[in-house]
Amino acid sequence: MNFLYFKPILNRCDPVKSMPYVLALLAFVLPLSSTGLGVALGLMIVTFIAGFKDYKSLLLETLLKPYTLVLVAFLLWVVLACLWSPASGVEQLAAIKKYVKLLCFPLLIVAFANPFVREWALRAFLLAMLVCVFLVFVQWIGRLNFGHY
């Protein structure tokens, strides 16, 4: 596939301007779908990498904070514990995979430094929670059935 076809589209995209929308999407899918959460996290990381020069100083400042260092030390401890354990390789990777998403916290801290982004994400999260409450209520009154025939 010729990726030069996407070059005009990518040149018009500004990662700094699109970050609030990506984080709003992330906050919206958080209570709704674990698959959507994985996709939104991937999209957030791609957007963050695309706008790295704009976030570089804030990210470096965040990476040197004590909570980030503790997080990295914890993840190294998990990897060391998995290497030490008698579990199979698949089980070890499953244990590590549970904690790898914690690496997104420093990126989220940097992204939520902007009050505009925080407001968009909070509204998206609240909207998703309202959707969840509505769906639970509709199922409770018997108008929505999941696999019950």
Side-chain angles (χ1 to χ4, degrees):
M1 179 175 197
N2 187 2
F3 290 106
L4 293 177
Y5 175 77
F6 296 109
K7 190 171 182 178
I9 296 169
L10 294 175
N11 285 340
R12 284 185 278 159
C13 293
D14 184 11
V16 175
K17 290 181 181 176
S18 63
M19 184 62 85
Y21 306 109
V22 171
L23 290 171
L25 173 70
L26 178 73
F28 183 76
V29 299
L30 183 66
L32 297 177
S33 166
S34 60
T35 304
L37 181 62
V39 170
L41 277 174
L43 190 59
M44 181 200 73
I45 291 170
V46 167
T47 306
F48 198 85
I49 290 170
F52 183 71
K53 64 180 187 296
D54 298 316
Y55 297 112
K56 186 177 179 181
S57 63
L58 193 54
L59 180 65
L60 291 176
E61 180 182 321
T62 304
L63 289 177
L64 296 176
K65 298 278 183 172
Y67 53 81
T68 306
L69 297 175
V70 168
L71 175 67
V72 170
F74 173 72
L75 290 172
L76 289 174
W77 184 261
V78 168
V79 169
L80 181 65
C82 284
L83 293 175
W84 192 298
S85 76
S88 69
V90 174
E91 292 171 339
Q92 290 176 351
L93 286 176
I96 292 171
K97 185 179 176 184
K98 286 194 303 188
Y99 298 106
V100 153
K101 288 185 182 174
L102 291 174
L103 290 175
C104 290
F105 279 146
L107 298 178
L108 289 171
I109 290 169
V110 170
F112 285 125
N114 185 347
F116 177 73
V117 174
R118 284 194 305 262
E119 184 177 330
W120 267 85
L122 180 63
R123 288 180 181 180
F125 181 77
L126 291 176
L127 179 65
M129 291 305 294
L130 283 174
V131 168
C132 287
V133 168
F134 175 75
L135 290 174
V136 166
F137 179 73
V138 170
Q139 185 181 13
W140 179 68
I141 62 173
R143 298 287 183 209
L144 188 64
N145 292 325
F146 292 112
H148 303 287
Y149 298 105

